[in-house]
Amino acid sequence: MQLEIITPESNLFSGEVIAVQLPGKDGLFQVLNNHAPIISALTKGTIKVDLSQPLKNTKKLNKRVQVDASNKVLTIDVDGGVVELTNN
């Protein structure tokens, strides 16, 4: 599924992913491919993104985005926000 993580200041990430774990108001939840459409409020926490392919160029990432050693998992600390999922 295609994921975009944006802030008022910049686009933190855009790309193809397998799964996204999000800090919802009622706890962590995960979104996978073909998930039903959803809009949810986010709270302070960490977004975890499982990428479909390893990142080739991590130098272009925003400094708020952390990448694991395999370049296949991103983590982004957030203070809150909103998530919307439509059509993968």
Side-chain angles (χ1 to χ4, degrees), residues 50-61:
D50 294 325
L51 302 171
S52 56
Q53 299 287 327
L55 286 178
K56 295 189 186 338
N57 186 356
T58 59
K59 292 181 181 181
K60 290 184 178 181
L61 290 176

Side-chain angles (χ1 to χ4, degrees), residues 9 29 36 57 66 73 76:
E9 295 83 32
F29 67 98
N57 186 356
Q66 302 297 314
V73 178
I76 304 162

Side-chain angles (χ1 to χ4, degrees), residues 14-34:
S14 181
E16 196 67 25
V17 303
I18 296 169
V20 182
Q21 185 180 67
L22 302 150
K25 293 280 186 185
D26 294 325
L28 289 175
F29 67 98
Q30 187 171 26
V31 176
L32 301 169
N33 198 26
N34 295 318

Side-chain angles (χ1 to χ4, degrees), residues 31-51:
V31 176
L32 301 169
N33 198 26
N34 295 318
H35 193 285
I38 186 174
I39 296 176
S40 180
L42 301 178
T43 188
K44 185 174 183 170
T46 302
I47 297 173
K48 179 184 169 195
V49 180
D50 294 325
L51 302 171

